[in-house]
Amino acid sequence: MRIAILADIHSNLEALNAVLADAREQGTVDEIWCLGDTVGYGPDPTACLDTVLGMDHVLVAGNHDLASVGKISLADFNPYAAEACRWTTTQLSSDHSEHLSELPLRTEQAPFTLVHGSPRDPVWEYVISPNVAQACFDHFTTPYCLVGHSHIPFIYRQGQRGAELIDIPIGRPVPLGRERLIVNPGGVGQPRDGDPRASYIIYHTEENSMEFRRVAYDLTTTQKKIRLAGLPEYLAERLQHGR
Ligand code: ZN
């Protein structure tokens, strides 16, 4: 089987469609796994949700998903994120809201645990340093854990002397071995590693390997939609910088 692993779609339909088209160009996509924040920031929350829900999917909740349906407070959001969440709430149908409200914070799909933030704190924690990654290895029991939230692709392996980053080859499968790993596919709808292209992973179950991919998409259209919706200009601007 081939599984597309996506995180932080953030209501960016152009990026989501480009990623799915790219994945299908490589072969059949049997399932899609989304690591939360399907909505928030961007202009197409319902279309993105419908696209994901229309495929064989596994979905966990992110902080923006939860805030959009009132399950967590906006107090800890930056002003742009909070404004976009309030707008997202006005766009969701009751079906969409119900679906987002019922998403789990974590789920297991052997050999992976799936969460949005970290296995220690699925809603808020960013895995952004070797120390955090090392502590997080104690909070899941599967060989590997998939996280999103930082919008930055990475692989941490559990080494002898603590967690270590592994270099990620783009467009070439990385075989997963016996070492325990925490993996972030990067952000689909709002990449933040300085590369504006959408980031995601294709996981090959038979080979137990994953391929990180980057896909250019029509971000000018997304920016136009953000402005038309009256969302903060900064959210349009940042897409072209990948920050
Ligand atoms: Zn996010």
Side-chain angles (χ1 to χ4, degrees):
M1 286 221 308
R2 295 169 75 265
I3 295 161
I5 303 175
L6 278 52
D8 297 284
I9 295 166
H10 280 300
S11 303
N12 186 334
L13 187 63
E14 288 69 35
L16 175 60
N17 282 339
V19 157
L20 293 176
D22 179 76
R24 286 171 180 140
E25 266 169 37
Q26 320 305 313
T28 311
V29 178
D30 298 292
E31 278 182 24
I32 178 174
W33 296 355
C34 296
L35 307 172
D37 282 3
T38 305
V39 303
Y41 287 133
D44 279 309
T46 57
C48 287
L49 274 173
D50 289 339
T51 301
V52 170
L53 299 177
M55 300 175 68
D56 277 331
H57 64 273
V58 175
L59 199 51
V60 295
N63 50 317
H64 287 253
D65 304 320
L66 297 169
S68 298
V69 293
K71 286 194 86 177
I72 60 171
S73 148
L74 289 172
D76 293 325
F77 281 72
N78 70 57
Y80 308 108
E83 187 177 339
C85 266
R86 279 190 288 267
W87 178 85
T88 301
T89 306
T90 67
Q91 304 297 304
L92 298 174
S93 70
S94 53
D95 276 3
H96 290 118
S97 301
E98 200 177 313
H99 211 104
L100 289 177
S101 305
E102 287 167 358
L103 292 178
L105 293 180
R106 78 191 274 153
T107 187
E108 285 185 14
Q109 296 286 315
F112 297 97
T113 297
L114 281 64
V115 292
H116 178 63
S118 83
R120 183 164 64 174
D121 175 357
V123 178
W124 284 114
E125 187 171 47
Y126 290 94
V127 181
I128 38 156
S129 70
N131 285 345
V132 173
Q134 182 56 31
C136 283
F137 278 111
D138 293 334
H139 292 264
F140 63 99
T141 54
T142 53
Y144 320 118
C145 181
L146 295 168
V147 303
H149 196 39
S150 69
H151 307 195
I152 293 173
F154 64 72
I155 305 176
Y156 272 110
R157 71 182 180 104
Q158 191 175 31
Q160 301 284 359
R161 287 185 222 89
E164 298 166 354
L165 278 177
I166 303 179
D167 283 339
I168 313 175
I170 302 294
R172 185 158 51 82
V174 188
L176 305 185
R178 290 196 184 164
E179 287 175 315
R180 298 185 76 219
L181 304 172
I182 301 175
V183 179
N184 190 323
V188 170
Q190 195 195 79
R192 290 184 192 159
D193 61 346
D195 181 343
R197 295 176 300 167
S199 182
Y200 80 106
I201 285 172
I202 297 177
Y203 174 58
H204 305 256
T205 58
E206 285 85 6
E207 296 93 349
N208 195 32
S209 69
M210 48 175 51
E211 181 181 338
F212 283 77
R213 298 189 61 85
R214 297 305 287 249
V215 188
Y217 69 95
D218 176 14
L219 62 85
T220 315
T221 294
T222 314
Q223 290 177 314
K224 275 185 200 152
K225 290 182 180 177
I226 287 173
R227 290 171 184 134
L228 260 175
L231 288 161
E233 169 61 24
Y234 170 66
L235 299 180
E237 173 83 14
R238 69 186 302 178
L239 292 181
Q240 76 206 51
H241 306 296
R243 292 282 179 204

